[in-house]
Amino acid sequence: MRRLLDFLYDASAWLAALAMIGVLLMVLLSIVSRQVGFHVPGTDAYAGYCMAAAGFLALAHTLKRNEHIRVTLLLGRLQGKARHGLEMWGLSAGVLLAGLFAVYAVRLAWNSHAFNDISTGNDATPLWIPQLTMAIGTLVLLVAFLDEWVQELRGRRQSAGSEEALHNE
Amino acid sequence: MSEVAITTMLIVLLFLLLGSGVWIGLTLGGVAWIGMQLFSSRPAGDAMAVTVWGSASSWTLTALPLFIWMGEILFRTKLSESMFRGLAPWVSRLPGRLLHTNVIGCTIFAAVSGSSAATCATIGKMTLPELDRRGYPEDITIGSLAGAGTLGLLIPPSIIMIVYGVTADVSIARLFVAGIIPGVVLASLFSGYLAVWAVLNKKRIPVPGERMTFAQKLSESRHLIPVVVLIAAVLGSIYTGIATATEAAAVGVVGALVLSAVQGSLNWATFRDSLLGATRLYCMIALILAGAAFLTLSMGYIGLPRHLAEFVGSLGLSPFMLMVALAIFYIVLGCFLDGISMVVLTMGVILPTVQAAGFDLIWFGIFVVIVVEMAQITPPVGFNLFVLQGMTGKEITWIARVTMPFFFLMCGMVLLLWFVPQMATWMPSKM
Amino acid sequence: QTKWDLPAAYPASNFHSENLVQFANDVDKATGGKLKITVHPNASLFKAPEIKRAVQGGQAQIGEILLVNFQNEWQIFGADGIPFLADSYDSAMKLWRAQKPMVDKKLGEQGMMVLYAVAWPPQGIYTKKPINSASDMKGLKWRAYSPATARIAELVGAQPVTVQAAELSQAMATGVVDSYMSSGSTGWDTKTYEHIKNWYDTQAWLPKNAVIVNRAAFNALDKPTQEALLKAGADAERRGWEMSRKTNTEVLEKLKANGMTIHAPSTQLKADMKKVGDTMLKEWLDKAGPEGQQLVDAYRKM
Ligand code: NA
Ligand code: NA
């Protein structure tokens, strides 16, 4: 189970990284096409979709690496039971909000399909396709929050704050 | 429920959620959700999803992840080290010496990037570790970076000026030109403060290296070549019409990769690390941007900023007092909303008042940009604070505290702009 | 009391937005305050491409959309973007009369209805260097912001360039773009006259903004309120078209005063552009199928 979950977060993060490369390639394509004199319709829209995918698909991985920021002023001062309690509260709120986010992200893609919502730009993409990345990314985030919640409940979660290393070394 | 009660409740809720350690992006979304459900009689969920998707996939934002990536690549090259070697002899006479690198770096990079978060992230990635290694104290280096990063908005190109220009029906080209002098003046204020701080805190500045002759200085300057070439490439691509201001970020990434290859630091491991590091840092910001976009929508439905703006407009103040009231209004709003949302949500109501008071709209645009800059560094919702928390792992309250002097310098800048309006209006009038 | 939100994409100073505010006031007065409509201009609530969907999903009860924006979804929405099919206010009005029942039916299937539509001023060509025929347009860096404008570029041999509205001003200044097609009022709004000095008044097409209403929200109103809304809509339509004509005249004067030369297109250019229009009409009919033909027939009979 553990390995399956970790694989899920990592796979999703690698897709996000690919999407990041996609942003670069799409923007470069629009520069180069102008210089060389050909036209690829919709590079701007594709760059936007790639950027959204990069953001959403990396959500869980970033949470697991403890790089989503929060105010740990109070958490850092608490010890033992009190700290565990506050962590449980924060994670419960996280599960709830990530859940809402995921539900409506899935509904968005679903409705886009049902409404036949098509991009108004030159790309004319059916919007449910790029919106899948938001649905999947937020669902994986929900799984990651549930995972953290269960681990904290069992007392196996690495505590926040302690491992907040300088990312600048 | 009265406006005051709603505002108070939402702010208390925001502080409770943030203080109890709920992730910042989720907190913003949660407050927006509750505000919308309770006070707008509109179902929140679908509107949230549409808005979040719209902002997350908006092409105008694509420069942000790319500049972050550029920073991550440069961080893994010897570029920052050589930049510091090249700069050191030139700032050796200035009190505070290399402390000024953040201000200098941000001012130059601001001419490339239109956003404050990207400026802060890219420059910080290069300067912070190097300044730390050389023994400069963190409180002043991080504070000066947070403050100087906001110059990305005032020195053209600038996203917020484009938004304001379209809203207020003011020439964007003139706005860009109008931002140059105030941008340089603000950067000088920052540098001046750093110099004074350095004089007062002599012991906290590391000892200088040996004195150099002018010839030595020049020879050391060769280390600046890579950084100058990179910036020239990015700036050049904009001003020769090869790339638009947003696309220039891609030129920056390619330039950084080339530089990294030339210096021999490009391999699979550094490429992978820079890519994943950039993806995570961008993802962290994207979650907060998503929450902020939803909060903006929620505020639009509830109508709070609009009503507050109407209230300010109805006070019938003298021009100076109106300017002070507006500054306070935007500073307070800026604690909770990001800059673009502030402009979009309030301008329709504020502009008639401002025009009636006889303010020059270009001047007012620069005023708005400076107060929006302040919003980037005021807690609880300040994007430069978030970027720096993500990069350094420091507590946001601490970052806000060390940034405080720069906030007051910007307040001083607003006053200066009031008494010397020509700073903003002179250059556009020459066009 | 019922409260409606009306998201719109254009700045508050644009004549469409001013007309919306007037419309909201009329509704307020006619219903004795029973229906309050808050106009959210300048994309402050939803952005242009999101508004139709927001109305469809009930996140906004009423909204203003640019019809041609939705051509990818259904070709008939884009009929007022076909060059030279309807090239004056009068023919644009006729086209709208032919288009309206079909648009109403389509929106009806999607749970919406159309209240009224107002045309933008006619579209012309902005270009840095003077042009006398389509061959002069070869190699121009042409801003293509919609499928139709991209196709025009291909047909005249210009280089279609993707530049967002937000960056248009700078793109013109640095030469990323040296030409595009739009109305005089867009040229004024975007300060095009600062960089481009020629506008060819081709009157190619008059795209329309339509105000659409969520059907369920409309049905939930009582009969007198519904009627007041419809009446205010009809008034807004009449007023809007007048405002559009007036804006067009005023804006062209303002452009001239700011150094823009307003050219009448040469006979050659006219003929060349007409050919482009014919090709695009044919292509549009292929895509739109029988209902497209039906629309064009109905329009031509008027
Ligand atoms: Na800038
Ligand atoms: Na703030």
Side-chain angles (χ1 to χ4, degrees):
Chain A
M1 188 65 180
R2 180 76 267 144
R3 280 168 63 188
L4 182 70
L5 285 175
D6 286 341
F7 174 77
L8 179 67
Y9 309 140
D10 287 345
S12 160
W14 273 108
L15 285 177
L18 282 179
M20 188 76 134
I21 297 177
V23 179
L24 177 67
L25 292 181
M26 282 302 133
V27 178
L28 285 178
L29 191 58
S30 78
I31 299 176
V32 171
S33 68
R34 217 166 32 227
Q35 297 308 314
V36 182
F38 61 98
H39 180 56
V40 188
T43 45
D44 50 348
Y46 295 127
Y49 303 147
C50 285
M51 175 177 67
F56 290 120
L57 289 172
L59 282 171
H61 172 77
T62 308
L63 177 76
K64 278 295 183 179
R65 298 280 296 249
N66 205 17
E67 290 186 30
H68 278 305
I69 61 172
R70 58 200 291 213
V71 180
T72 50
L73 200 63
L74 183 59
L75 268 175
R77 305 229 161 130
L78 293 178
Q79 296 286 327
K81 273 232 173 97
R83 181 176 180 131
H84 176 70
L86 194 59
E87 280 283 13
M88 284 310 292
W89 149 252
L91 285 166
S92 304
V95 169
L96 178 75
L97 291 167
L100 279 174
F101 198 2
V103 167
Y104 284 99
V106 173
R107 248 178 78 102
L108 178 80
W110 184 265
N111 277 339
S112 291
H113 189 256
F115 290 176
N116 187 27
D117 200 356
I118 294 176
S119 159
T120 59
N122 284 338
D123 58 311
T125 313
L127 284 177
W128 66 271
I129 299 171
Q131 284 169 351
L132 271 183
T133 60
M134 173 155 133
I136 294 170
T138 50
L139 278 173
V140 179
L141 177 69
L142 176 61
V143 171
F145 261 113
L146 283 169
D147 180 11
E148 294 279 284
W149 191 86
V150 169
Q151 289 198 42
E152 177 70 31
L153 189 69
R154 289 177 174 173
R156 286 190 205 155
R157 183 165 166 266
Q158 288 196 322
S159 59
S162 60
E163 79 271 35
E164 265 173 349
L166 270 176
H167 302 306
N168 249 315
E169 280 145 359
Chain B
M1 209 190 276
S2 78
E3 218 96 273
V4 179
I6 297 177
T7 318
T8 318
M9 204 208 98
L10 290 180
I11 291 176
V12 168
L13 186 72
L14 182 70
F15 277 100
L16 271 182
L17 287 175
L18 284 179
S20 64
V22 179
W23 285 263
I24 290 171
L26 295 176
T27 299
L28 298 182
V31 171
W33 182 284
I34 290 168
M36 207 166 150
Q37 291 288 24
L38 290 184
F39 306 118
S40 82
S41 73
R42 307 263 181 269
D46 291 321
M48 167 184 79
V50 169
T51 302
V52 166
W53 172 257
S55 79
S57 62
S58 150
W59 173 88
T60 34
L61 197 67
T62 48
L64 179 63
L66 291 178
F67 273 131
I68 288 176
W69 191 8
M70 173 179 162
E72 290 279 341
I73 298 167
L74 295 180
F75 164 64
R76 289 171 176 80
T77 64
K78 298 182 208 80
L79 185 75
S80 48
E81 194 198 324
S82 54
M83 181 176 84
F84 275 71
R85 280 187 67 180
L87 268 181
W90 297 104
V91 292
S92 64
R93 293 284 186 82
L94 269 175
R97 289 190 304 282
L98 286 169
L99 269 187
H100 298 275
T101 41
N102 277 332
V103 175
I104 298 172
C106 287
T107 308
I108 295 171
F109 194 75
V112 173
S113 140
S115 108
S116 146
T119 308
C120 193
T122 314
I123 295 299
K125 208 69 204 177
M126 286 162 52
T127 57
L128 286 185
E130 197 64 29
L131 284 168
D132 191 43
R133 204 172 62 76
R134 287 163 186 257
Y136 286 88
E138 271 181 325
D139 50 357
I140 193 80
T141 58
I142 292 180
S144 67
L145 175 60
T150 66
L151 287 170
L153 301 179
L154 191 54
I155 294 174
S158 158
I159 296 172
I160 192 83
M161 281 185 191
I162 293 170
V163 173
Y164 172 84
V166 171
T167 313
D169 197 19
V170 170
S171 158
I172 292 158
R174 276 166 202 264
L175 270 176
F176 276 7
V177 170
I180 297 175
I181 296 179
V184 173
V185 170
L186 186 56
S188 318
L189 280 182
F190 289 160
S191 258
Y193 169 77
L194 289 176
V196 171
W197 185 91
V199 170
L200 296 177
N201 298 273
K202 276 220 168 71
K203 288 199 193 104
R204 300 189 57 200
I205 302 288
V207 288
E210 66 234 65
R211 275 282 158 86
M212 287 183 194
T213 63
F214 187 72
Q216 280 173 315
K217 280 186 183 178
L218 272 186
S219 142
E220 280 294 287
S221 299
R222 70 182 187 279
H223 297 291
L224 285 175
I225 292 172
V227 93
V228 168
V229 167
L230 183 62
I231 286 174
V234 177
L235 264 182
S237 74
I238 297 178
Y239 289 98
T240 56
I242 290 172
T244 66
T246 305
E247 292 167 345
V251 177
V253 173
V254 172
L257 284 172
V258 169
L259 198 82
S260 165
V262 169
Q263 293 194 343
S265 46
L266 185 64
N267 53 45
W268 168 241
T270 55
F271 179 77
R272 180 198 59 204
D273 290 350
S274 73
L275 179 60
L276 283 174
T279 307
R280 281 196 300 270
L281 182 54
Y282 172 65
C283 172
M284 180 278 274
I285 297 173
L287 180 61
I288 298 173
L289 284 173
F294 182 32
L295 189 61
T296 301
L297 178 78
S298 172
M299 288 296 140
Y301 273 119
I302 304 173
L304 267 182
R306 200 172 54 239
H307 295 155
L308 286 176
E310 278 166 3
F311 169 72
V312 172
S314 70
L315 292 176
L317 299 166
S318 70
F320 179 75
M321 286 316 290
L322 177 66
M323 191 272 302
V324 173
L326 285 175
I328 294 171
F329 164 67
Y330 279 114
I331 288 170
V332 171
L333 212 57
C335 291
F336 305 99
L337 290 175
D338 72 282
I340 292 180
S341 316
M342 273 163 44
V343 171
V344 170
L345 285 176
T346 61
M347 233 14 109
V349 183
I350 286 286
L351 276 176
T353 312
V354 164
Q355 274 172 309
F359 288 7
D360 179 277
L361 284 185
I362 298 259
W363 178 90
F364 186 65
I366 301 303
F367 167 84
V368 165
V369 172
I370 297 175
V371 287
V372 163
E373 281 194 23
M374 292 156 118
Q376 308 293 321
I377 53 169
T378 49
V381 182
F383 275 87
N384 280 17
L385 304 179
F386 297 154
V387 168
L388 283 171
Q389 182 177 356
M391 272 173 18
T392 63
K394 296 272 187 233
E395 199 50 71
I396 193 162
T397 42
W398 182 87
I399 301 174
R401 193 154 43 79
V402 300
T403 311
M404 195 92 78
F406 298 89
F407 172 80
F408 288 119
L409 286 171
M410 287 186 214
C411 293
M413 182 66 202
V414 169
L415 278 180
L416 204 57
L417 191 68
W418 173 262
F419 290 110
V420 195
Q422 292 81 358
M423 280 197 291
T425 54
W426 181 71
M427 278 185 64
S429 73
K430 295 282 149 205
M431 276 172 79
Chain C
Q1 194 199 31
T2 313
K3 283 186 176 175
W4 280 12
D5 289 299
L6 194 163
Y10 304 96
S13 57
N14 185 280
F15 76 91
H16 286 289
S17 309
E18 285 174 352
N19 193 26
L20 285 175
V21 171
Q22 171 91 52
F23 158 75
N25 288 340
D26 289 353
V27 171
D28 191 17
K29 258 186 238 142
T31 61
K34 260 167 82 185
L35 177 59
K36 276 230 178 295
I37 300 178
T38 309
V39 181
H40 302 268
N42 206 12
S44 58
L45 205 55
F46 291 101
K47 298 197 197 85
E50 300 162 3
I51 293 175
K52 175 166 173 282
R53 188 203 166 109
V55 175
Q56 190 173 4
Q59 287 98 48
Q61 296 79 359
I62 181 169
E64 187 192 45
I65 60 170
L66 176 64
L67 281 174
V68 281
N69 257 353
F70 299 90
Q71 179 173 14
N72 287 338
E73 180 191 323
W74 187 53
Q75 289 298 326
I76 305 295
F77 283 136
D80 51 8
I82 305 167
F84 305 106
L85 178 62
D87 51 5
S88 68
Y89 275 102
D90 292 334
S91 50
M93 191 55 172
K94 278 185 198 157
L95 179 61
W96 173 229
R97 285 214 300 273
Q99 214 181 354
K100 190 175 178 193
M102 301 174 82
V103 169
D104 229 352
K105 184 161 164 284
K106 180 72 176 185
L107 290 176
E109 289 162 15
Q110 300 179 333
M112 291 177 283
M113 55 187 266
V114 61
L115 197 59
Y116 71 85
V118 171
W120 283 88
Q123 309 283 302
I125 302 171
Y126 289 97
T127 160
K128 278 196 178 161
K129 59 166 207 186
I131 48 173
N132 281 313
S133 66
S135 60
D136 289 340
M137 295 165 73
K138 229 173 230 124
L140 286 183
K141 289 186 176 166
W142 174 276
R143 177 171 180 241
Y145 55 92
S146 66
T149 51
R151 185 66 186 132
I152 294 174
E154 279 169 7
L155 289 172
V156 300
Q159 160 72 32
V161 167
T162 306
V163 168
Q164 298 285 320
E167 285 194 327
L168 181 56
S169 177
Q170 211 188 352
M172 289 185 290
T174 56
V176 172
V177 169
D178 56 20
S179 54
Y180 71 101
M181 216 162 166
S182 196
S183 67
S185 72
T186 310
W188 177 254
D189 288 346
T190 54
K191 308 281 182 285
T192 295
Y193 54 82
E194 290 178 347
H195 314 285
I196 291 181
K197 297 296 179 196
N198 301 293
W199 188 65
Y200 288 84
D201 191 5
T202 53
Q203 310 235 339
W205 69 92
L206 290 85
K208 291 186 292 284
N209 275 4
V211 173
I212 55 174
V213 179
N214 181 294
R215 191 80 220 192
F218 182 78
N219 291 342
L221 300 173
D222 59 25
K223 203 77 200 159
T225 311
Q226 288 183 346
E227 270 158 20
L229 186 73
L230 293 176
K231 163 139 197 330
D235 290 347
E237 179 158 289
R238 209 171 313 118
R239 187 174 55 233
W241 285 71
E242 276 311 307
M243 287 170 94
S244 182
R245 282 172 194 262
K246 202 164 141 260
T247 304
N248 190 37
T249 328
E250 284 171 5
V251 143
L252 294 186
E253 282 309 313
K254 284 197 278 187
L255 284 178
K256 265 189 231 162
N258 281 277
M260 180 84 73
T261 315
I262 312 284
H263 304 268
S266 71
T267 334
Q268 184 62 48
L269 181 62
K270 245 189 200 157
D272 292 346
M273 291 311 285
K274 183 81 184 68
K275 228 190 276 162
V276 169
D278 291 343
T279 313
M280 285 179 65
L281 177 61
K282 199 177 147 286
E283 288 171 353
W284 182 81
L285 283 171
D286 287 344
K287 275 188 280 182
E291 53 184 357
Q293 192 59 55
Q294 188 196 325
L295 170 66
V296 172
D297 292 345
Y299 160 65
R300 294 217 157 123
K301 252 185 249 145
M302 282 192 186

